[in-house]
Amino acid sequence: YFIVLRGDARAGAGEILEAQWRQREPAAAPEKLKLERERFLRAPVIIAVVSRIRESKNPVWEQVLSAGAACQNLCLAANALG
């Protein structure tokens, strides 16, 4: 799945990321939490790639690598566009 985040959705995702950091690292420095909260605000559009591993004829490693290949191709396309 590809999830495109624009505008206020980026800030909302940052709030979720900050909350997860707080849960994972209760003693995290405020600067670290701010960095995570604002992480998605650095770009005008964020594309999240979500991979779901399923039991199928395709091996797990192939399913994981296909999501990685999708990410790599997104990076190459973004770089080509400048």
Side-chain angles (χ1 to χ4, degrees):
Y1 299 99
F2 296 93
I3 302 171
V4 180
L5 303 173
R6 294 183 179 100
D8 293 338
R10 297 171 304 134
E15 291 170 8
I16 292 168
L17 190 60
E18 177 189 13
Q20 290 299 309
W21 266 102
R22 282 183 191 277
Q23 197 172 38
R24 181 177 173 196
E25 298 288 336
E31 298 83 25
K32 175 64 176 169
L33 295 173
K34 182 177 187 264
L35 175 76
E36 297 305 330
R37 184 177 59 251
E38 296 175 354
R39 178 176 299 280
F40 297 125
L41 299 177
R42 296 183 217 162
V45 177
I46 302 296
I47 301 174
V49 178
V50 180
S51 175
R52 188 171 119 197
I53 305 302
R54 298 179 181 168
E55 289 217 17
S56 71
K57 63 179 181 166
N58 301 329
V60 170
W61 66 266
E62 189 174 298
Q63 295 177 58
V64 171
L65 289 180
S66 66
C71 292
Q72 178 64 25
N73 283 314
L74 281 172
C75 289
L76 290 172
N79 190 42
L81 291 171

